[in-house]
Amino acid sequence: MSKDKILVVEDAPDISSLLKIYFTSQGYEVMTAMRGQVALDICRKTPPNLALLDVNLPDMEGYDIGRALRQSARTRHIPIIFLTARGEKQDRIRGLGEVQAEYYIVKPFDIEEVHTIVKGALDRARQKNLAHPVTNLPTAELINEQYRQLVASTGGWALAQAHINGFETFTQAYGAVVGEDVLKFTALMLNEVINEIGGPNDFIGQMVVGPDFVMTSSPEHLKAIATRMCERFDAEIGLQYNYKDRRNGYIVVNDDQGTPRQVPLMSLSIGVLTSADGPFYDIRELSETVEDVRQHALAEARELGRKSHVSFGRAADD
């Protein structure tokens, strides 16, 4: 299982270093930022499992960081803990009320107590099943929440579902730990492409089971995002294989009868729906329809001899 990832946002080098050294020694992966904008850029690219925020920063207040995280569908699930010298009643109200932080700790602090609070917040987040255990992307109920918003929306929207073809065979050959690296690689690529092409309110989620990702955006953005994802995935996925398999363009595995067979390198199949393909009356209809379009993308790729491939709903074909 992947380590929990903590983002420490603190402009005092001694405190930042103390927190990083301590939490790293406790088995966490720790990222640090001394400025608010750097922290927000980190969260957009690689969402942490939890954010420890100071309030007084050179470029913005920690409250502004917290509000920005809460306003984005991609980061609103991240637990926030304030760790600050500002301990007045109105400061606590802003942190706990406006930002909806898990906890508000006033300096000076006992680091073991901070660890206990952090561990409790992470445990509660896991129990709510809001984030994927490997990529920390929104999952489960947060994906369903996005589906419900699309069904109820009267505006234009687009939904995509992406599946990593050949992932199960890859993990059988290379192992589950390397398979987790592929999921992280794909999640990072999705974040990069959406940050490059999409908008600040675009959503990325991952199904709890299987190598399946969900994205929502505007129709014009998501079509470009899906196409770019296929291009980048095919260009970069070879780096997850050893040199021999990468050079051959396939791996050799045994089937149920023990007969060796060649399996191509992993690829993406992506199905894209827009509001023009509707109306959709419930989230089950929406999720089943986008999966049908994704299956069509896989079938088209095989028929055309392609690797990664995108298929669009009826409206895009008209």
Side-chain angles (χ1 to χ4, degrees):
M1 187 63 67
S2 299
K3 294 180 180 180
D4 282 326
K5 190 182 303 181
I6 297 175
L7 173 62
V8 174
V9 186
E10 169 64 66
D11 67 330
D14 54 341
I15 298 177
S16 177
S17 179
L18 170 67
L19 291 167
K20 182 170 184 177
I21 292 170
Y22 177 81
F23 279 101
T24 299
S25 73
Q26 298 300 312
Y28 299 90
E29 180 181 344
V30 182
M31 304 177 292
T32 61
M34 291 188 171
R35 290 181 175 271
Q37 190 56 56
V38 173
L40 292 175
D41 290 342
I42 289 173
C43 289
R44 279 192 288 266
K45 187 174 182 181
T46 54
N49 295 88
L50 180 141
L52 270 174
L53 303 181
D54 189 12
V55 172
N56 297 319
L57 298 167
D59 58 337
M60 66 177 70
E61 290 189 325
Y63 305 127
D64 298 323
I65 301 172
R67 278 192 290 268
L69 295 180
R70 290 289 178 254
Q71 289 168 2
S72 171
R74 293 157 61 187
T75 57
R76 65 169 57 115
H77 65 288
I78 297 173
I80 294 171
I81 294 175
F82 281 104
L83 192 59
T84 176
R86 288 171 56 169
E88 297 296 325
K89 179 180 178 180
Q90 60 267 28
D91 296 317
R92 293 176 179 272
I93 290 174
R94 290 182 70 185
L96 297 172
E98 293 181 21
V99 181
Q100 298 179 340
E102 290 278 329
Y103 216 87
Y104 196 101
I105 304 171
V106 178
K107 299 174 182 176
F109 56 83
D110 181 280
I111 199 161
E112 292 185 352
E113 181 181 355
V114 174
H115 182 208
T116 299
I117 292 170
V118 165
K119 186 176 182 300
L122 290 168
D123 288 343
R124 286 189 293 275
R126 271 189 288 271
Q127 290 168 4
K128 292 178 182 178
N129 198 26
L130 298 180
H132 192 277
V134 175
T135 63
N136 199 40
L137 289 176
T139 192
E141 182 55 31
L142 293 178
I143 292 177
N144 286 338
E145 179 183 319
Q146 287 295 308
Y147 284 164
R148 284 191 286 269
Q149 289 180 11
L150 297 184
V151 169
S153 175
T154 58
W157 53 260
L159 165 69
Q161 182 169 319
H163 177 82
I164 306 176
N165 309 312
F167 177 80
E168 291 79 6
T169 303
F170 175 85
T171 56
Q172 291 170 12
Y174 279 76
V177 174
V178 185
E180 289 186 356
D181 290 339
V182 172
L183 295 178
K184 293 175 185 176
F185 156 80
T186 306
L188 178 61
M189 184 179 294
L190 274 172
N191 274 296
E192 289 178 349
V193 172
I194 284 184
N195 288 336
E196 173 191 352
I197 300 175
N201 296 321
D202 292 354
F203 173 83
I204 310 170
Q206 183 177 353
M207 300 295 189
V208 177
V209 178
D212 295 276
F213 298 82
V214 171
M215 296 154 280
T216 65
S217 184
S218 63
E220 61 274 16
H221 282 163
L222 196 48
K223 292 173 183 178
I225 289 166
T227 301
R228 178 66 175 145
M229 271 300 301
C230 289
E231 294 170 351
R232 283 197 55 181
F233 193 91
D234 288 346
E236 300 176 30
I237 192 59
L239 297 176
Q240 305 298 320
Y241 293 82
N242 62 38
Y243 173 75
K244 178 183 176 182
D245 292 340
R246 183 165 65 248
R247 180 192 62 194
N248 291 338
Y250 59 81
I251 59 176
V252 178
V253 297
N254 293 330
D255 61 20
D256 294 339
Q257 287 72 43
T259 304
R261 63 186 181 93
Q262 296 179 1
V263 178
L265 303 188
M266 289 177 285
S267 63
L268 287 181
S269 54
I270 305 179
V272 177
L273 284 180
T274 72
S275 49
D277 293 305
F280 300 96
Y281 297 100
D282 55 51
I283 65 173
R284 180 176 179 179
E285 180 186 12
L286 182 62
S287 62
E288 289 179 350
T289 304
V290 75
E291 170 61 12
D292 287 344
V293 178
R294 190 204 64 79
Q295 290 283 356
H296 185 61
L298 179 59
E300 278 189 332
R302 290 171 175 169
E303 181 180 343
L304 298 172
R306 295 178 180 173
K307 295 180 181 178
S308 296
H309 188 58
V310 186
S311 282
F312 300 100
R314 297 181 301 273
D317 296 330
D318 293 341

